[in-house]
Amino acid sequence: MIAIVGGGASGAITAAQIGLQATVPCRVILFDPADHLGQGLAYGTRNLAHLLNVPAGKISALPDQPGHFLDWLNRAGNVAALLREGPIAPGDFVPRAIYGCYLASLVEEVFSHPACVATLDVRPSRVLDFIPTDFGGTIVTGDGDTEDVSHVVLALGNLPPRDPLPGRHPFFRSPRYVPLVWQAGAMAADPDGDVLLVGTGLTAVDVILALEAAGHRGKYIATSRGGRWPQPHGPGAASGDYLADRPPPATIRELVRLVRKKIEDTGSGNWRGVIDALRPRTQTLWKSLPLRERQRFLRHVRPFWESHRHRVPPDAWRKLERLRADGRLELIPGRLRDFVEDPNGVTAILDPRRRPGPCKLRVQKVFNCIGPESNFRQHFNDPLLINLLARGVLHPDPLLLGLEATDDFEPIGAAGRIFSQISLIGPPLRGMLWETTAIPEIRAQGARIAAHALRHYLHPAWEI
Ligand SMILES: Cc1cc2nc3c(=O)[nH]c(=O)nc-3n(C[C@H](O)[C@H](O)[C@H](O)COP(=O)(O)OP(=O)(O)OC[C@H]3O[C@@H](n4cnc5c(N)ncnc54)[C@H](O)[C@@H]3O)c2cc1C
């Protein structure tokens, strides 16, 4: 039996791959307390203003069928066909909620196909522990059940974000503070009240679009240290592979110079194409850089990389531009110092960048948009992670971006032991791969992990 813990995009894609690749009857159990398969954090939104940040033609769940999502979208009677009159084009950005439906439908289609020899059992339970044995391990669930499995895929997604100030500030217990913007009811706000968004990445854009869709009339003040919004998607195909005929850059400085030069050489300002051309090589490049260089990247280049690599759909960008022009969206780069709450609102105190400070921002609500935590040493309350870290099965990577793992996505424990009966997928592999959180990487990992899990199913762990 193969277990998958987590039924977000990573878990659903891996389940589908096991169904597609299995050649002998095998049973898959997928555990997730959430009631909808394939949604997770990203695709569970009901808000149709929340669009995929990858165009429809590039976000198939199956690496060997690039047009699979687009075909599904345009199939007569499908829910996406209701969104518009004409067919959906490869360059269109569709709502993320639709993608969650697509993943659920893919899993359903795979396991109900007469040629599929695997069976899938979806259990609405939280997994509290996994105890590895020589031949696999034992899953312990919150319902008190145990299951012996040959392999387990940990598709746990992102950690929740940390609070924007260190320590246990009393304001973080206030109803005016939204620690997790994806939680049900998180967008409830006085429609005329000004709000503060801490963080200026894709999460902040999502919050603005959700509040706008709900008829918000107040002002949005956004702050982050770097003060950069994600750039918009735009025209321009990926440039040719400009790293193909040369040794990989040995330092971040060399890489940045190369990218800058390439952008200048294109002459057309096609920086998007130059950045996108790096994508197939990012993981190899990252792995080839010494630790010191990866640290340099995080210190000096990361903010630029994040805002240029993780772009917003043009439609979302236009909405932000309109809000800016109307004076309803203001960005103040700086460092948060404190929150002072009173019965009528909250004052955020900020040291603004390149301005004499401090400045006081009066708002009704504060949304934490700083993005997921990646440091597994932080305190969090997930029993499965707490147990696996305490037992030394999982171990944070040296950059504290995720978990230590082999090239085959098996965790490397605290004592350097490889747990080959476990696979990690998606966000927790960030330290090892850097580029691992989006569907194009997850679908490739899912296909490889399915093959690995099926090998374990056929042979005891120690024979592999
Ligand atoms: C808001 C947002 C928007 C995004 N938009 C895009 C996009 O447009 N395009 C793109 O390519 N990528 C996007 N991403 C990147 C995203 O990380 C991936 O696309 C993908 O959704 C990650 O899925 P996941 O299954 O790894 O994690 P998650 O979606 O977080 O799912 C993890 C699941 O594991 C379950 N779980 C956790 N612990 C346990 C446990 N102990 N027992 C049982 N179940 C457990 C949770 O309930 C959850 O359902 C977005 C990410 C976010 C957060």
Side-chain angles (χ1 to χ4, degrees):
M1 184 153 48
I2 299 169
I4 300 175
V5 185
S10 300
I13 287 174
T14 308
Q17 281 293 343
I18 295 174
L20 288 168
Q21 294 183 33
T23 52
V24 293
C26 90
R27 193 166 152 226
V28 182
I29 310 187
L30 187 149
F31 298 90
D32 197 321
D35 52 357
H36 294 286
L37 186 62
Q39 297 191 343
L41 214 52
Y43 312 114
T45 172
R46 297 277 180 278
N47 193 320
L48 296 183
H50 288 159
L51 303 179
L52 288 170
N53 57 23
V54 180
K58 290 190 176 171
I59 194 166
S60 162
L62 302 177
D64 55 348
Q65 295 181 51
H68 190 265
F69 178 49
L70 196 60
D71 293 346
W72 179 87
L73 280 171
N74 285 318
R75 229 183 277 159
N78 255 338
V79 60
L82 303 173
L83 286 177
R84 58 173 72 199
E85 281 170 13
I88 290 169
D92 288 343
F93 294 86
V94 302
R96 292 208 299 268
I98 302 270
Y99 198 76
C101 299
Y102 160 68
L103 291 178
S105 134
L106 169 69
V107 173
E108 159 75 28
E109 219 169 273
V110 165
F111 283 92
S112 60
H113 195 281
C116 180
V117 290
T119 57
L120 177 67
D121 173 8
V122 179
R123 298 257 181 98
S125 321
R126 177 164 291 280
V127 170
L128 301 186
D129 204 357
F130 176 70
I131 300 143
T133 61
D134 285 347
F135 303 99
T138 305
I139 294 264
V140 181
T141 74
D143 311 326
D145 292 339
T146 56
E147 292 283 357
D148 291 334
V149 299
S150 57
H151 195 88
V152 62
V153 181
L154 299 181
L156 307 175
N158 289 298
L159 295 177
R162 71 173 82 177
D163 292 320
L165 287 176
R168 293 167 187 263
H169 197 292
F171 176 62
F172 298 145
R173 292 194 300 274
S174 163
R176 293 190 188 278
Y177 172 63
V178 182
L180 195 60
V181 303
W182 316 115
Q183 248 162 11
M187 292 300 130
D190 165 9
D192 293 307
D194 294 348
V195 298
L196 175 67
L197 312 166
V198 184
T200 54
L202 294 173
T203 306
V205 176
D206 262 9
V207 170
I208 294 171
L209 296 178
L211 288 174
E212 279 298 287
H216 194 72
R217 296 179 291 267
K219 190 172 163 182
Y220 305 98
I221 305 170
T223 186
S224 64
R225 298 250 181 102
R228 276 183 199 82
W229 288 111
Q231 293 291 313
H233 279 283
S239 312
D241 185 357
Y242 51 97
L243 293 176
D245 302 324
R246 45 156 298 145
T251 64
I252 282 299
R253 188 185 290 259
E254 196 187 329
L255 177 63
V256 169
R257 271 206 202 117
L258 192 72
V259 170
R260 280 215 175 114
K261 170 95 176 47
K262 186 70 192 167
I263 293 173
E264 279 163 26
D265 289 350
T266 60
S268 56
N270 180 19
W271 59 264
R272 294 180 182 84
V274 176
I275 299 279
D276 292 350
L278 282 177
R279 181 86 175 258
R281 292 196 175 266
T282 311
Q283 295 183 348
T284 330
L285 255 175
W286 181 255
K287 284 199 254 184
S288 73
L289 287 170
L291 185 64
R292 199 187 55 248
E293 290 301 317
R294 283 181 264 164
Q295 283 164 333
R296 275 200 184 124
F297 172 86
L298 296 176
R299 239 185 347 260
H300 304 298
V301 185
R302 183 179 192 169
F304 299 93
W305 174 262
E306 300 285 5
S307 68
H308 288 79
R309 160 70 190 84
H310 300 285
R311 304 197 279 268
V312 289
D315 191 40
W317 180 257
R318 279 191 290 275
K319 285 181 179 153
L320 295 185
E321 290 280 75
R322 207 171 315 128
L323 287 168
R324 268 191 286 257
D326 293 346
R328 285 189 53 222
L329 174 59
E330 186 183 2
L331 172 59
I332 307 180
R335 183 190 286 259
L336 260 181
R337 280 279 167 237
D338 202 0
F339 292 104
V340 182
E341 191 180 8
D342 59 61
N344 300 318
V346 54
T347 303
I349 301 169
L350 187 80
D351 285 338
R353 215 181 59 199
R354 294 196 207 102
R355 272 203 250 162
C359 85
K360 292 183 176 178
L361 306 168
R362 182 72 181 162
V363 292
Q364 291 302 310
K365 209 151 188 180
V366 175
F367 291 88
N368 182 356
C369 304
I370 58 178
E373 175 61 68
S374 65
N375 180 354
F376 280 76
R377 290 213 180 110
Q378 287 288 321
H379 176 78
F380 46 84
N381 55 11
D382 182 326
L384 175 61
L385 287 174
I386 291 171
N387 286 330
L388 291 178
L389 286 159
R391 212 175 289 127
V393 175
L394 301 180
H395 188 61
D397 68 80
L399 294 166
L400 300 178
L401 292 173
L403 296 165
E404 284 266 56
T406 66
D407 285 346
D408 289 324
F409 318 127
E410 305 148 306
I412 304 175
R417 180 177 159 197
I418 294 169
F419 290 87
S420 58
Q421 66 275 60
I422 305 177
S423 296
L424 301 173
I425 181 167
L429 294 170
R430 204 156 208 220
M432 177 201 157
L433 300 172
W434 181 247
E435 187 79 79
T436 179
T437 57
I439 295 297
E441 282 72 30
I442 287 173
R443 68 187 171 205
Q445 291 168 13
R448 280 183 55 197
I449 287 170
H452 186 76
L454 285 164
R455 274 199 305 278
H456 263 269
Y457 178 72
L458 292 172
H459 309 282
W462 51 269
E463 281 184 8
I464 292 180

